């Protein structure tokens, strides 16, 4: 019945030409099942090639092709140069989009014009001046195919059949470094072992017509070029996050229209995307609100009802509830309806059925929230403890990293967006060893540096968790003396205390050894920054000695000529010092009675840093933080403008002070919390999921978690204003009620279907580290949300950070506390 209806609606809605690609109001080419975007997302240069830009194809709902642009390499890596978009022109009459791009490093300009031609687009590359001599034979037009959507599928080049390989095993050659186009800021992604040669992949196939995925109509694309040779490469030969690349090298000495491709993505006739039923994978406690959000193709006609099915203990199923489906409306490219089954309170195993779509099963049970933080505290956090050997059962997660310590960074402009100015602001000379920094601290995220700001956040988050909830959980053995961590081995000390101690050990060492806080302790060379594998093998553990030749080790075996030692970036930032002073004061309070010596050191550094930072700030212009503090105060006392966003930003700080203040302070907050309660409800109108959804190039889980934490605390202190039912909003979102798919964003947490791949340091294994929280839904302009669960490598959607994951621990601890009351 539904299918007949759909077909009818689809046919009725179809204009005569809708089989052809049309340029739509959002400035991309569209036909049912196919979107071709032309620089809706341009290369932003921040982290260079983020595999998110240029000409992109969203094919039957999945972004499978990107990177369409003039590029300088057969298989560009993250730090290869990307073009700057200098102009983008949409010509509605011609049905075309023209993009001008430029490489400043080579004074090289090109233009690409994409024009709809029936079911295909024509891509034409124009040059006003010939390719610069240095790039002749290197610059070409590239487009990239997502490996996880194409591997094991067939392709046909000029009639020759082949299959995309699951793993990169094609052939390579080496060429002199002098022939390699410059990489980002002159850094090198590779260690050539003294050969002065770089590796260049050879093509898998060459010809004039390529059909990819001849065995899969949802992925099939035909690319034809009469005037240029098409070469197909495997980008994974150089970097595990590489894509399959199709390219044509630009001809030498020519101008005008130099390359023309015809690209025809196959569309499944009358394709309608399968409904995505968003619900909480961990399940629901009996009394909480239970609302599934169903994401529908715009051409899909909403059904009138949905059903909640119960799986009985004898394995048979029965209908538990049938209810109306209520329309919410459109949000970006899809249409949303909701199914409320809150009335079902009987504990049991259930699934949702909407038309032909069934979800996996989930629980309704009083205990579903009990374990939500365990994977994060027992597994993810200890694995990210730096300067320790970390083991679990038969597996060693990593050996002890960075035994040689950290060198004073020289003046530099860094690849991970750090900077060291001309002055070190320390007593150390550039490249001099700063003693005592290789202790404590947590790996930032998918990389292995110590971001000081994030590490301060981590300690703050653990202190907040400890002071409010005193979690006694002890599943981790930590010996600072042995520099040894073992998962699942209790040692009599609550783990959270040990995590606080571990974070403070590094931060206090920074204050003591450097005199103030380093902005970061990070890699000195790009070719070990992208390290995937055991953290202990990032550096050689030997002190760098520039008097030794590269790859040479001193006779005593203690020094080497490898410039791989990590650097401390030490420019003084009084506001960072103030943050550290704040966290040291709280840490001294918490550590007293557990590690008195460290508590005293922390207090001493807190006092010194605070007075020095205040003095420094007094000397410099009045800091932004002070101005902000005054604005906050105005707003609290009713003299500011007090809009919702301000309420949201400030309320958490105000709530955190309640335990330290009197009853009058709390009463004064009441109107603010009332405003916040309205702010919470405002999200029901903003989007179908009722949480703040971020549209930046890092998906918005941190904002969602912040929101969740504040809602939880507001409920804890003002349960009459912020009602208990509000605390489940963020849980629902995290555990599966969100756009694109319905998997839990927390690794291993979520009954049946947590996400399976994350951008952790084991991402090359297409795996995860338990307890990691993904950034979530990455927004691609102009209207597409995305979270790949078969491709871990896009950090903006799949990388969990140490600050975010410890935020999650607060969120989860508070939620458990509320649920258990
Ligand atoms: Ca980092
Ligand atoms: Ca312990
Ligand atoms: Ca070294």
């Amino acid at each position: 019945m539904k299918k007949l209806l759909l077909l009818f609606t689809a046919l009725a809605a179809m204009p005569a030409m809708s089989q052809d690609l049309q340029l739509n109001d959002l400035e991309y080419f569209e036909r049912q099942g196919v979107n071709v975007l032309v620089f809706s997302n341009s290369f932003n240069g921040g982290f260079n090639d983020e595999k998110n830009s240029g000409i992109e194809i969203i094919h039957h709902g999945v972004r499978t092709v990107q990177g369409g642009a003039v590029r300088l390499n057969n298989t560009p890596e993250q730090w290869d140069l990307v073009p700057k978009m200098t102009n983008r022109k949409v010509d509605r009459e011609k049905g075309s989009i023209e993009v001008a791009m430029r490489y400043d490093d080579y004074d090289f300009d090109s233009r690409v014009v994409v024009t709809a031609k029936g079911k295909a687009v024509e891509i034409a590359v124009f040059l006003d001046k010939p390719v610069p001599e240095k790039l002749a034979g290197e610059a070409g037009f590239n487009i990239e195919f997502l490996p996880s959507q194409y591997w094991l599928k067939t392709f046909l080049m000029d009639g020759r059949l082949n299959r995309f390989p699951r793993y990169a095993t094609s052939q390579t050659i080496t060429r002199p470094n002098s022939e390699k186009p410059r990489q980002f800021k002159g850094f090198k992604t590779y260690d050539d072992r003294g050969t002065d040669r770089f590796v260049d992949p050879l093509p898998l196939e060459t010809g004039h017509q390529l059909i990819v995925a001849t065995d899969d109509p949802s992925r099939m694309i035909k690319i034809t070029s009469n005037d240029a040779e098409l070469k197909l490469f495997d980008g994974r030969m150089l970097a595990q996050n590489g894509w399959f690349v199709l390219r044509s090298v630009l001809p030498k000495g020519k101008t005008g229209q130099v390359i023309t491709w015809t690209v025809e993505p196959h569309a499944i006739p009358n394709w309608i995307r399968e409904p995505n039923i968003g619900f909480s994978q961990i399940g629901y406690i009996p009394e909480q609100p239970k609302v599934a959000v169903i994401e529908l193709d715009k051409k899909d006609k909403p059904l009138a009802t949905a059903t909640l099915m119960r799986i009985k203990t004898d394995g048979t199923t029965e209908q538990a509830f049938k209810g109306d489906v209520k329309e919410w409306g459109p949000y970006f490219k899809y249409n949303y309806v909701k199914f409320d089954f809150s009335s079902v309170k009987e504990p049991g195993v259930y699934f949702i059925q909407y038309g032909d779509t069934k979800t996996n099963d989930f629980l309704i049970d009083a205990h579903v929230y009990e374990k939500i933080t365990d994977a994060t505290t027992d597994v993810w956090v200890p694995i990210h403890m730096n300067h320790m050997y970390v083991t679990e059962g038969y597996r060693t997660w990593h050996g002890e990293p960075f035994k040689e310590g950290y060198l004073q960074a020289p003046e530099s402009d860094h690849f991970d967006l750090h900077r060291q100015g001309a002055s070190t602001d320390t007593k150390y000379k550039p490249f001099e060893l700063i003693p005592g920094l290789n202790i404590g601290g947590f790996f930032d995220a998918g990389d292995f540096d110590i971001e000081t700001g994030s590490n301060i956040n981590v300690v703050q988050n653990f202190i907040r968790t400890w002071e409010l909830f005193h979690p006694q959980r002890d599943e981790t053995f930590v010996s600072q003396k042995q520099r040894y961590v073992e998962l699942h081995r209790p040692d009599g000390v609550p783990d959270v205390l040990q995590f606080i101690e571990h974070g403070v050990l590094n931060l206090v060492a920074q204050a003591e050894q450097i005199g103030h806080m380093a902005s970061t302790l990070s890699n000195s060379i790009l070719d070990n920054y992208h390290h995937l594998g055991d953290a202990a093998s990032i550096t050689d553990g030997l002190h760098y000695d520039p008097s030794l030749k590269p790859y040479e080790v001193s006779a005593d075996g203690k020094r080497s000529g490898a410039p791989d030692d990590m650097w401390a970036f030490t420019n003084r930032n009084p506001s960072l010092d103030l943050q550290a002073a704040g966290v040291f004061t709280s840490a001294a309070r918490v550590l007293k009675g557990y590690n008195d010596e460290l508590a005293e050191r922390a207090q001493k550094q807190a006092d010194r840093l605070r007075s020095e930072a205040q003095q420094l700030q007094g000397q410099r212009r009045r800091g932004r933080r002070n101005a902000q503090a005054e604005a906050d105060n105005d707003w609290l006392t009713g003299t500011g403008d007090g809009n919702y966003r301000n309420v949201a930003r400030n309320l958490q700080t105000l709530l955190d002070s309640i335990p330290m203040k009197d009853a009058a302070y709390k009463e004064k907050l009441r109107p603010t919390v009332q405003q916040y309660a309205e702010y919470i409800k405002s999200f029901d109108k903003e989007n179908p999921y009722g949480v703040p959804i971020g549209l930046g190039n890092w998906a918005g889980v941190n904002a969602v978690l912040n929101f969740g934490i504040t809602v939880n605390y507001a409920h804890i202190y003002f349960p009459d204003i912020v009602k208990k039912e509000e605390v489940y909003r963020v849980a629902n979102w995290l555990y599966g009620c969100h756009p694109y798919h319905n998997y839990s964003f927390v690794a291993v947490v979520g009954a049946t279907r947590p996400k399976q791949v994350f951008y952790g340091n084991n991402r090359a294994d297409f795996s995860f580290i338990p307890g990691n929280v993904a950034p979530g839904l990455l927004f691609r302009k102009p209207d597409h949300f995305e979270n790949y669960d078969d491709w871990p490598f896009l950090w903006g959607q799949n990388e969990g950070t140490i600050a975010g994951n410890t935020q999650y621990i607060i969120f989860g601890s508070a939620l458990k506390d509320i649920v258990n009351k």
Side-chain angles (χ1 to χ4, degrees):
M1 179 62 188
K2 180 197 155 208
K3 283 204 170 121
L4 281 176
L5 255 177
L6 287 182
L7 189 62
F8 175 76
T9 330
L11 286 172
M14 222 179 273
M17 294 292 287
S18 77
Q19 288 302 309
D20 289 343
L21 278 167
Q22 308 274 340
L23 188 54
N24 68 16
D25 291 343
L26 295 170
E27 301 190 343
Y28 63 81
F29 299 98
E30 184 178 20
R31 66 187 284 229
Q32 207 170 335
V34 177
N35 304 155
V36 181
L37 280 59
V38 181
F39 281 73
S40 294
N41 300 285
S42 62
F43 298 91
N44 68 36
F47 290 104
N48 261 28
D49 189 351
E50 302 190 60
K51 306 295 180 195
N52 269 338
S53 320
I55 298 171
E56 305 172 81
I57 298 177
I58 297 168
H59 207 177
H60 299 105
V62 180
R63 194 172 60 97
T64 55
V65 173
Q66 59 80 42
V70 169
R71 300 298 302 271
L72 310 183
N73 314 79
N74 287 333
T75 62
E77 296 175 63
Q78 183 185 338
W79 293 276
D80 283 320
L81 296 181
V82 291
K84 184 169 76 184
M85 184 176 80
T86 52
N87 191 27
R88 181 174 183 272
K89 209 163 63 190
V90 177
D91 187 332
R92 298 208 159 270
E93 232 159 83
K94 285 192 199 142
S96 72
I97 302 176
E98 174 174 336
V99 172
M101 56 193 113
R102 174 172 173 78
Y103 287 93
D104 282 330
D105 292 68
Y106 290 98
D107 187 22
F108 173 40
D109 293 279
S110 57
R111 284 182 294 127
V112 171
V113 181
V114 181
T115 312
K117 296 260 165 95
K119 296 183 174 76
V121 288
E122 181 192 87
I123 300 177
V125 183
F126 291 85
L127 295 177
D128 297 328
K129 284 190 286 185
V131 181
E133 186 65 29
K134 190 91 184 92
L135 295 177
E138 309 295 337
F141 179 77
N142 290 22
I143 203 158
E144 306 196 350
F145 296 83
L146 180 60
S148 58
Q149 290 294 326
Y150 281 97
W151 60 42
L152 306 178
K153 289 176 185 159
T154 54
F155 66 86
L156 191 67
M157 179 73 92
D158 292 352
R160 295 183 296 276
L161 267 172
N162 215 322
R163 202 177 281 283
F164 285 105
R166 173 64 185 80
Y167 198 89
T169 54
S170 57
Q171 284 182 280
T172 54
I173 54 168
T174 64
R175 297 168 54 195
N177 279 340
S178 58
E179 292 177 11
K180 184 164 173 93
R182 180 172 196 268
Q183 293 190 287
F184 177 59
K185 293 181 183 172
F187 292 115
K188 269 167 68 183
T189 50
Y190 57 101
D191 176 355
D192 67 17
R193 305 309 291 177
T195 62
D196 201 26
R197 296 179 75 83
F198 72 100
V199 176
D200 206 14
L202 293 174
L204 298 169
E205 254 291 13
T206 302
H208 286 276
Q209 186 180 70
L210 174 71
I211 307 175
V212 296
T214 56
D215 55 346
D216 180 355
S218 70
R219 295 289 169 265
M220 189 193 295
I221 303 177
K222 182 164 79 181
I223 303 109
T224 313
S225 178
N226 296 321
D227 58 6
E229 194 168 58
L230 301 169
K231 293 179 177 194
L232 180 66
F233 293 91
D234 191 338
R236 298 170 301 168
M237 296 303 292
L238 297 184
Q240 276 78 1
N241 62 351
W243 294 38
F244 294 120
V245 181
L246 189 69
R247 79 180 320 230
S248 292
V249 172
L250 299 176
K252 292 177 194 176
K254 286 203 175 157
T255 56
Q257 185 169 341
V258 291
I259 286 177
T260 312
W261 286 12
T262 303
V263 177
E264 185 181 334
H266 179 75
I268 296 169
N270 302 318
W271 176 81
I272 303 262
R273 182 173 178 261
E274 165 130 3
N276 168 35
I277 304 175
F279 69 101
S280 172
Q281 292 277 352
I282 68 156
Y284 303 87
I285 60 168
E287 74 264 25
Q288 83 172 89
K290 306 174 199 75
V291 182
V293 178
I294 306 172
E295 182 178 65
L296 296 175
D297 195 298
K298 269 187 202 155
K299 291 199 187 296
D300 204 344
K301 188 177 173 342
L303 301 175
T305 59
T307 313
L308 186 73
M309 301 295 292
R310 182 184 293 120
I311 304 175
K312 296 194 288 182
T313 48
D314 65 1
T316 60
T317 58
E318 63 182 9
Q319 181 176 307
F321 174 75
K322 186 174 182 173
D324 290 346
V325 162
K326 296 220 172 71
E327 185 131 17
W328 187 88
Y331 179 64
F332 291 103
K333 76 183 344 168
Y334 298 123
N335 192 31
Y336 293 84
V337 298
K338 293 190 180 189
F339 170 54
D340 187 333
F341 53 98
S342 304
S343 62
V344 180
K345 298 188 161 122
E346 190 185 324
V349 184
Y350 296 86
F351 64 88
I352 298 163
Q353 178 142 15
Y354 172 82
D356 295 336
T357 308
K358 291 179 191 174
T359 67
N360 56 260
D361 67 71
F362 58 89
L363 301 185
I364 294 180
D365 187 89
H367 305 287
V368 299
Y369 291 102
E370 276 177 9
K371 299 185 174 76
I372 54 176
T373 59
D374 296 350
T376 311
T377 56
D378 297 359
V379 186
W380 198 90
V381 170
I383 288 170
H384 287 73
M385 290 170 87
N386 200 342
H387 306 117
M388 304 290 262
Y389 182 100
V390 179
T391 184
E392 175 185 26
Y394 291 4
R395 176 181 197 166
T396 292
W397 279 92
H398 57 79
E400 184 192 329
F402 315 127
K403 284 185 177 171
E404 67 269 70
Y406 295 80
L407 305 183
Q408 168 68 55
E411 183 175 6
S412 67
D413 183 10
H414 193 247
F415 36 82
D416 198 18
L417 312 184
H418 305 300
R419 202 172 288 275
Q420 176 72 45
S423 157
T424 63
D425 296 349
T426 66
K427 63 185 180 192
Y428 302 99
K429 290 188 198 67
F431 299 107
E432 192 178 340
L433 177 72
I434 302 178
L437 295 182
N438 54 334
I439 185 167
F442 295 91
F443 299 141
D444 176 29
D447 48 1
F448 304 88
D449 51 340
I450 290 197
E451 302 268 4
T452 301
S454 300
N455 270 266
I456 290 174
N457 284 335
V458 168
V459 176
Q460 269 169 342
N461 289 343
F462 280 128
I463 289 174
R464 280 172 70 190
T465 307
W466 178 256
E467 293 201 314
L468 261 154
F469 309 111
H470 291 283
Q472 298 299 309
R473 194 171 174 89
D474 172 21
E475 275 297 319
T476 312
F477 173 93
V478 180
S479 167
Q480 291 294 341
K481 193 159 170 259
Q482 295 171 19
R483 297 203 167 215
Y484 192 90
V485 173
E486 185 176 344
L487 278 55
H488 318 302
R489 172 187 285 276
D491 62 0
V493 184
D495 299 337
V496 166
L497 267 187
Q498 290 168 314
F499 300 151
I500 293 169
E501 177 184 44
H502 194 71
V504 171
L505 277 169
N506 185 267
L507 296 171
V508 164
Q510 287 189 23
E512 289 173 347
Q513 303 295 342
I514 296 170
H516 55 268
M517 305 312 292
S519 62
T520 187
L521 309 179
S522 191
N523 305 63
S524 59
I525 43 174
L526 181 53
D527 70 68
N528 74 12
Y529 172 69
H530 53 56
H531 178 88
L532 294 174
D534 185 347
S537 60
I538 294 173
T539 62
D540 61 8
L542 309 175
H543 293 294
Y544 171 48
D545 181 346
S547 73
L548 295 168
K549 288 199 198 77
Y551 315 103
E552 191 183 357
V553 176
S554 65
D556 63 2
K558 288 183 178 160
R559 292 165 296 117
S560 82
D564 64 1
D565 299 18
M566 302 281 278
W567 286 350
F569 289 74
T570 57
N571 282 128
R572 186 159 202 173
N573 174 355
S575 76
L576 187 66
D577 291 350
L578 275 179
Q579 275 180 50
V583 87
F584 287 158
T585 302
S586 320
R589 187 169 65 227
V590 169
L591 291 172
K592 209 161 180 215
Y594 165 60
N595 184 338
D596 288 334
E597 187 253 3
L598 186 60
E600 268 169 44
R601 285 166 61 200
Q603 189 58 57
K604 187 174 165 197
Q605 294 306 319
D607 297 340
R608 183 180 64 80
L609 283 180
R610 192 172 290 116
S611 78
E612 288 181 16
Q614 279 162 354
Q615 221 173 1
L616 266 173
Q617 282 193 332
Q619 286 160 12
R620 297 180 187 181
R621 232 177 78 252
R622 193 179 72 167
R624 264 178 60 224
R625 280 180 74 81
N626 292 343
Q628 188 56 50
E630 250 167 56
D632 292 351
N633 203 38
D634 286 352
W635 163 79
L636 181 59
T637 53
T639 54
D641 64 355
N643 64 39
Y644 280 166
R645 297 286 164 190
N646 274 340
V647 177
R649 197 178 58 230
N650 296 308
L651 185 60
Q652 187 63 50
T653 320
L654 302 173
L655 291 172
D656 282 342
S657 304
I658 287 178
M660 278 88 86
K661 305 260 172 132
D662 58 11
Y665 172 85
K666 192 177 164 189
E667 255 336 275
K668 205 165 143 195
L669 281 187
R670 192 161 269 281
T672 309
V673 179
Q674 260 146 1
Q675 253 186 306
Y676 191 74
E678 285 170 49
Y679 170 73
I680 296 171
K681 298 234 182 280
S682 73
F683 289 108
D684 292 327
K685 295 198 187 72
E686 210 171 291
N687 64 65
Y689 297 94
V691 299
I693 297 177
L695 305 179
N697 77 337
W698 180 279
V701 82
N702 300 80
V704 176
L705 282 172
N706 266 334
F707 174 70
I709 291 168
T710 307
V711 172
N712 288 346
Y713 276 61
H715 169 74
I716 288 171
Y717 292 123
F718 297 92
D720 58 320
I721 304 177
V722 173
K723 299 281 195 299
K724 192 170 178 178
E725 67 246 32
E726 306 292 1
V727 305
Y728 302 106
R729 287 173 184 261
V730 166
N732 289 339
W733 169 270
L734 282 177
Y735 302 132
C737 192
H738 50 237
Y740 197 71
H741 56 52
N742 60 11
Y743 311 149
S744 168
F745 285 139
V746 190
V748 313
V749 177
T752 314
R753 189 55 169 94
K755 263 180 69 60
Q756 288 171 340
V757 304
F758 287 72
Y759 186 99
N761 55 44
N762 59 353
R763 58 190 175 274
D765 303 319
F766 291 78
S767 189
F768 54 84
I769 300 178
N772 199 8
V773 185
L777 272 305
L778 186 67
F779 182 65
R780 312 306 312 133
K781 286 181 218 163
D783 64 353
H784 185 71
F785 282 103
E786 163 183 292
N787 181 278
Y788 289 134
D789 198 44
D790 56 4
W791 189 251
F793 297 105
L794 300 198
W795 53 84
Q797 41 186 283
N798 282 333
E799 180 177 20
T801 65
I802 189 72
N805 288 345
T806 50
Q807 243 188 326
Y808 172 73
I809 293 170
I810 302 184
F811 167 77
S813 304
L815 184 61
K816 283 191 291 186
D817 189 68
I818 293 165
V819 168
N820 290 336
K821 263 175 195 149

